[in-house]
Amino acid sequence: MRKFLATILCIGTILGATLAPALAENFTYKLYDPKVNKNYSAQVITLSISDTTYTLGLFAGQNVCAIIPTTMNTNPNTGLVGGDCVGVAGTESGGKKFNWREYSPNTFYPEMQSIINERAQQGKSLAK
């Protein structure tokens, strides 16, 4: 019985050690379109700039936008990170300006770091 439990524990440890670094965090965010006064639930995605660089964006159905890093801030009252993003050319939302924010505090930066780590293993870096 001890050998069986030790084997299960060993297999679990090996799987956990190999799979955990490859799995990025995955949260949802509020994407707001001020022109139509509508909210969407969005997920963070990466948008390739070149073979080795990417930027972060948000995806909600037909809306795809690139996050504008200079507009990101943390609301001192709620602790939620938010900012602006612009619709990606060639998509239905191309050129539109959106606002976004976290649904829950402390989700964006951990997810961003998780994506950075995952893409670094693939030889890619976040554009500055």
Side-chain angles (χ1 to χ4, degrees), residues 10 18 25 37 43 46 52 57 71 76 90 92 109:
C10 182
T18 56
E25 299 284 340
N37 192 26
Q43 293 184 328
T46 58
T52 58
T71 65
E92 191 173 303
Y109 290 119

Side-chain angles (χ1 to χ4, degrees), residues 48-67:
S48 293
I49 296 172
S50 71
D51 288 342
T52 58
T53 59
Y54 64 92
T55 189
L56 297 176
L58 293 167
F59 170 75
Q62 300 297 320
N63 298 309
V64 179
C65 63
I67 293 174

Side-chain angles (χ1 to χ4, degrees), residues 6-113:
T7 302
I8 296 294
L9 182 61
C10 182
I11 290 171
T13 302
I14 291 170
L15 285 176
T18 56
L19 291 178
L23 301 174
E25 299 284 340
N26 195 13
F27 298 101
T28 55
Y29 302 88
K30 178 180 176 181
L31 185 64
Y32 175 69
D33 184 346
K35 287 197 175 189
V36 295
N37 192 26
K38 190 168 182 183
N39 294 316
Y40 305 93
S41 183
Q43 293 184 328
V44 172
I45 59 171
T46 58
L47 302 166
S48 293
I49 296 172
S50 71
D51 288 342
T52 58
T53 59
Y54 64 92
T55 189
L56 297 176
L58 293 167
F59 170 75
Q62 300 297 320
N63 298 309
V64 179
C65 63
I67 293 174
I68 305 169
T70 56
T71 65
M72 288 180 14
N73 61 50
T74 302
N75 182 313
N77 297 325
T78 63
L80 300 174
V81 175
D84 297 327
C85 63
V86 64
V88 175
T91 67
E92 191 173 303
S93 57
K96 289 171 83 176
K97 188 174 180 183
F98 296 90
N99 305 109
W100 69 273
R101 70 167 175 81
E102 296 173 306
Y103 279 121
S104 303
N106 303 318
T107 58
F108 181 74
Y109 290 119
E111 182 169 7
M112 184 174 77
Q113 190 58 51

